[in-house]
Amino acid sequence: MNVSTTTAGMRVHGEATDDQVMDSVADAVRDASKSAVKHAAAVKDAIADTGIIQSVSRMTYTSAYALSFGIVYAAVFATQWIPQDNPVTDGFSDGARAAVDALKDK
């Protein structure tokens, strides 16, 4: 682009026209886009090759399993310590039956 300024600060266009400038900008954007796509594909391949996705997936599964096991085990353990035939166990039983019935109705 041949653009210069005069002492008065006004732009004087040389050989480059506005269309040429826009074409140059469009070419630069297109090249940057192609470069970004290639880089993204390379990063994706690098992550897949290292097994990061599989490790994160396995860690998520293990965490969910441990959490659910801990909650259910604690609930079962607590209900074993509560004496039978009292209002607390009757309330737990009725609440559990109502929850199962509500799920069946959906």
Side-chain angles (χ1 to χ4, degrees), residues 8-102:
M10 297 179 60
R11 289 187 153 186
V12 177
H13 291 281
E15 297 174 11
T17 64
D18 288 341
D19 290 340
Q20 290 172 328
V21 172
M22 291 305 292
D23 288 343
S24 175
V25 170
D27 290 342
V29 170
R30 183 179 55 248
D31 292 343
S33 173
K34 287 179 183 177
S35 174
V37 168
K38 289 178 184 177
H39 181 68
V43 168
K44 180 182 174 188
D45 291 342
I47 289 173
D49 290 344
T50 59
I52 292 174
I53 294 173
Q54 185 177 6
S55 297
V56 169
S57 175
R58 186 69 176 154
M59 184 177 64
T60 303
Y61 169 81
T62 304
S63 299
Y65 180 88
L67 181 66
S68 65
F69 181 84
I71 291 171
V72 171
Y73 185 78
V76 170
F77 185 74
T79 58
Q80 294 298 318
W81 284 95
I82 297 174
Q84 302 299 318
D85 297 327
N86 66 38
V88 174
T89 54
D90 291 340
F92 282 144
S93 297
D94 293 342
R97 271 189 241 111
V100 169
D101 291 341

